[in-house]
Amino acid sequence: MKKLINDPADVVAETLAGFAAAHGDLVAVHTAPDYVTRAGGATSGKVGLVSGGGSGHEPLHAGFVGVGMLDAAVPGAVFTSPTPDQIAPAFQAADGGAGVLAIVKNYTGDVLNFETAAELAEAEDVTVRTVVVNDDVAVEDSLYTAGRRGVAGTVAVEKIAGAAAERGDDLDAVEAVAKKVVANVRTMGVALSACTVPHAGKPSFDLTDDEIEIGIGIHGEPGRHRIPMATADEITQMLLTPVVEDLRLQAGEQVLLLVNGMGGTPASELYIVYRRARQLLEERGVEVTRSLVGNYVTSLEMQGASVTVLRLDDELTALWDAPVHTTALRW
Amino acid sequence: MTLDVAWAVGWVRASAAAVLEHRDELVELDRQIGDGDHGENLKRGFTAVVAKLDALEEPPATIGDVLKLVATTLMSTVGGAAGPLYGTAYLRAAKAAAGPTLDSAGVVALLEAGLDGIVARGKATTGEKTMVDAWSPAAEAAAKAAADGAGPREVLRAAAEAAARGAGSTAPLVATKGRASYLGERSAGHLDPGARSSQLLLEAAAAAAEPAP
């Protein structure tokens, strides 16, 4: 394992220290317990938006703290959900008196810890609602699993719910729009190589040079199918087709197309995937009206990408376009 | 005989030692079907528990106090799924063992409460390749031993032996709960790391009840 780290045990603390030093104008980093808030703290009267999960997915989630998006983010250990005693103070710090919406990715650890934290915060008179993101279509039969995972679609949920909160929507409305995004966003990912979690010291799974994993999550866990390496166009089709079919997209519909890098894939390759995904959508008569290409929900240095499609209407488009000012997303 | 606070403290220290000794094994089991953090997370949690025990000015008054300290510390330091699951297990066990001593029926109540906590939090049942596959047979074996008139030490021994068999039985199973469930059929052939760590903790409980050599 070669990594630019000191001690595996210090990775998260030193990441946060650097993040705080670099972006003090935008964010405030709290330690013991660790969580990140906007530099000015909670906005009075505004619904607070909180998300979090294991570290190693940067810029998710701390990179999305700021005006128009999250009020607080809670980073756990690498690939390990944060603990309730981190999350509950983040709920309190994000509460401007209008309640808090927690955006949680559907992983067992995240769901359990946010659930426990919500109970703790409620005991301190903070109203907490939770929206679980489960956009990963790779999980074929949710009856026999912990359900579909929450992956790159989380960015769209955080951006759009964040815009709704920023314009002054109440908790019911922010929760409703977040659920609307969850209902209309789907993702499928591929890994060309595994990543190495610092404390594990070796790759989280073994792939030979001519194998890829189709249908991965974002924690380095293998996907459902291991297949021989193929061309970018073939892989893009394997990712996009189940997404489009699950959404039951019809000709004439408008979408956001997000091609997300897993951390170890260059932008050039992401654009090659984007190009093909867009062609395939247009061949079906689907209009791509908004796009995002880059590393937003990563798995350390894993090579790979995911393709996310969000069905748009006028409301979601306007909220996506609303100003955002965070370290990782800004317009 | 009955078990006292010294047993509970001994259980905690034996658990920490077992987790430390098997840290790499648990990481490797979890790497095969999960994300490879189970051993590290439990090591972090139990190291914190022992530090808190060592920092106490007075020993805890009841078994429940010891278990509550374990529960709150694991909840606040472990993370992942194991943090809330073990945290809830020890919290429920603490409530079931509120007094200074435990007889055989008390041990059974403690184990059943721990199992109930894991089931309530994780919404899992036996056969899903989880911690429940170790805890459920352990609680059953404990109840049977107690009904047969065994003392607390023998009850714990029966529970630990059943937990070991239960953990071993997870190898051929296909996971339907937790991270391993995403592997589907590919999860078969690997021990469940949560069941294995549960076995270690229950064996530590039995070891702590044995007379000092």
Side-chain angles (χ1 to χ4, degrees):
Chain A
M1 174 177 70
K2 274 194 286 189
K3 283 180 183 289
L4 274 176
I5 62 172
N6 297 304
D7 183 327
D10 296 331
V11 165
V12 174
E14 292 178 359
T15 302
L16 288 174
F19 187 74
H23 305 297
D25 55 328
L26 276 179
V27 296
V29 174
H30 305 257
T31 53
D34 296 341
Y35 60 95
V36 177
T37 63
R38 293 189 192 183
T43 308
S44 180
K46 187 185 95 65
V47 170
L49 230 65
V50 178
S51 194
S55 293
H57 305 304
E58 291 71 23
L60 192 78
H61 291 277
F64 301 130
V65 172
V67 175
M69 222 158 157
L70 299 179
D71 293 272
V74 198
V78 175
F79 289 179
T80 298
S81 67
T83 58
D85 73 332
Q86 279 176 273
I87 304 167
F91 283 155
Q92 285 198 305
D95 184 27
V100 170
L101 183 72
I103 297 173
V104 182
K105 299 184 300 304
N106 192 31
Y107 275 98
T108 306
D110 290 313
V111 171
L112 293 184
N113 284 286
F114 272 85
E115 190 177 279
T116 308
E119 287 171 21
L120 291 174
E122 299 270 358
E124 303 290 327
D125 292 325
V126 178
T127 305
V128 179
R129 303 265 185 83
T130 300
V131 170
V132 176
V133 185
N134 57 352
D135 55 317
D136 180 16
V137 298
V139 180
E140 288 158 333
D141 197 340
S142 301
L143 268 182
Y144 299 102
T145 68
R148 289 180 167 183
R149 298 167 290 208
V151 288
T154 310
V155 177
V157 181
E158 292 179 1
K159 169 66 187 80
I160 287 171
E166 208 70 53
R167 75 180 175 187
D169 286 12
D170 66 16
L171 188 55
D172 284 340
V174 176
E175 181 187 14
V177 81
K179 285 184 169 166
K180 183 173 162 184
V181 178
V182 170
N184 287 287
V185 69
R186 299 287 187 274
T187 299
M188 181 97 161
V190 63
L192 312 185
S193 72
C195 59
T196 298
V197 179
H199 64 245
K202 55 179 171 176
S204 47
F205 55 93
D206 305 307
L207 270 182
T208 61
D209 271 356
D210 54 357
E211 285 179 327
I212 60 175
E213 284 274 350
I214 292 276
I216 51 153
I218 55 167
H219 291 78
E221 73 271 36
R224 295 288 295 263
H225 308 289
R226 185 166 292 191
I227 61 167
M229 182 61 194
T231 65
D233 282 4
E234 287 164 346
I235 293 170
T236 304
Q237 183 151 11
M238 282 183 245
L239 299 182
L240 186 76
T241 303
V243 165
V244 167
E245 287 178 354
D246 202 89
L247 277 174
R248 297 171 202 274
L249 274 181
Q250 304 296 319
E253 290 200 283
Q254 299 188 333
V255 298
L256 162 77
L257 173 58
L258 161 61
V259 173
N260 173 63
M262 305 306 296
T265 292
S268 56
E269 295 176 26
L270 300 181
Y271 281 111
I272 290 170
V273 170
Y274 177 86
R275 161 196 143 276
R276 184 60 184 153
R278 182 154 181 157
Q279 284 171 356
L280 290 167
L281 285 165
E282 285 170 351
E283 282 168 15
R284 289 173 179 256
V286 174
E287 189 186 356
V288 179
T289 58
R290 296 293 182 275
S291 302
L292 193 65
V293 181
N295 289 301
Y296 293 100
V297 182
T298 62
S299 294
L300 298 172
E301 77 281 22
M302 182 187 281
Q303 282 182 292
S306 58
V307 172
T308 299
V309 175
L310 167 64
R311 174 187 280 117
L312 290 173
D313 60 11
D314 289 347
E315 181 196 25
L316 296 188
T317 303
L319 289 168
W320 177 261
D321 287 345
V324 59
H325 191 177
T326 69
T327 64
L329 213 57
R330 188 179 304 190
W331 55 72
Chain B
M1 72 163 276
T2 57
L3 300 170
D4 56 13
V5 173
W7 163 77
V9 171
W11 178 17
V12 174
R13 293 191 186 282
S15 299
V19 164
L20 200 63
E21 185 188 340
H22 295 275
R23 182 255 183 212
D24 292 352
E25 179 200 339
L26 293 172
V27 165
E28 183 56 23
L29 288 175
D30 194 23
R31 196 186 74 90
Q32 287 163 358
I33 60 169
D35 56 355
D37 59 5
H38 191 56
E40 177 67 19
N41 290 347
L42 285 186
K43 178 191 155 194
R44 186 171 60 241
F46 274 96
T47 303
V49 173
V50 169
K52 279 199 185 174
L53 263 183
D54 289 343
L56 290 178
E57 289 182 4
E58 286 175 30
T62 67
I63 291 170
D65 289 343
V66 177
L67 299 182
K68 197 174 162 196
L69 183 142
V70 176
T72 54
T73 310
L74 293 184
M75 268 194 205
S76 67
T77 55
V78 174
L85 290 170
Y86 277 134
T88 307
Y90 280 96
L91 200 59
R92 300 278 183 98
K95 281 185 195 157
T101 61
L102 281 180
D103 57 12
S104 294
V107 171
V108 173
L110 183 160
L111 293 173
E112 286 178 343
L115 169 65
D116 287 348
I118 290 169
V119 168
R121 219 12 118 199
K123 300 172 185 72
T125 178
T126 50
E128 295 184 315
K129 202 177 180 86
T130 72
M131 293 176 183
V132 175
D133 290 317
W135 280 82
S136 181
E140 267 177 40
K144 184 174 178 306
D148 291 346
R153 185 184 304 152
E154 289 72 30
V155 169
L156 281 171
R157 214 180 283 148
E161 285 165 6
R165 284 193 299 275
S169 78
T170 62
L173 297 176
V174 172
T176 54
K177 282 281 190 307
R179 185 75 51 82
S181 67
Y182 298 123
L183 283 176
E185 300 286 338
R186 280 199 272 167
S187 63
H190 301 281
L191 277 187
D192 178 63
R196 174 68 178 140
S197 66
S198 294
Q199 173 197 344
L200 294 174
L201 299 181
L202 293 170
E203 285 174 348
E210 298 296 331

